[in-house]
Amino acid sequence: MIELKDLQKQAYDNKVKQGFNTTNIEKEFCLTYGELNEAYEAWLKSKDNLGEELADVMIYLLGMAEILGLDLEKEVLAKLEKNSKRKYKTVNGVKIREEGCD
């Protein structure tokens, strides 16, 4: 099984190989947002390419993590652990985190 850090490097290496942006983080956020919008549109319109569009979002996130020198796998695991300990309440039909529950 491939590790997320290997996917980060692969995503970054492809950006370099293809001559894509590897320095302008603001641009990367905007492009990632665009890919997320494409995924939403695919879901909204029940298109067959939803998985591919979600993969594009993931590839952009992996590339950004590599550019920024972040270990995304470590960050995701830590965040999942943190979220598992949080407590939520429902207010007006919406789940919100209880105060003091980091």
Side-chain angles (χ1 to χ4, degrees):
M1 177 168 255
I2 192 162
E3 294 188 20
L4 210 51
K5 66 181 174 181
D6 296 328
L7 290 176
Q8 275 186 216
K9 179 138 180 40
Q10 188 176 344
Y12 177 81
D13 288 347
N14 187 62
K15 289 173 102 36
V16 171
K17 178 182 173 187
Q18 300 295 340
F20 291 123
N21 172 59
T22 58
T23 57
N24 184 333
I25 293 302
E26 291 87 356
K27 182 177 182 177
E28 288 300 293
F29 273 107
C30 290
L31 292 170
T32 303
Y33 175 80
E35 293 298 337
L36 186 58
N37 184 60
E38 288 178 15
Y40 174 70
E41 288 292 320
W43 173 80
L44 191 64
K45 296 177 180 178
S46 299
K47 293 184 176 179
D48 292 336
N49 65 332
L50 177 57
E52 182 178 345
E53 295 301 342
L54 287 173
D56 284 341
V57 173
M58 182 78 166
I59 289 167
Y60 268 94
L61 291 174
L62 290 166
M64 271 200 293
E66 188 69 13
I67 291 167
L68 294 168
L70 298 171
D71 180 342
L72 196 55
E73 181 175 10
K74 177 182 169 189
E75 297 294 335
V76 168
L77 291 172
K79 186 63 176 183
L80 287 170
E81 177 67 19
K82 185 176 186 177
N83 286 348
S84 74
K85 295 177 182 174
R86 287 185 168 162
K87 297 197 185 317
Y88 297 89
K89 60 184 175 182
T90 302
V91 177
N92 296 326
V94 177
K95 291 282 233 181
I96 60 170
R97 189 176 66 212
E98 291 184 7
E99 294 294 322
C101 295
D102 293 332

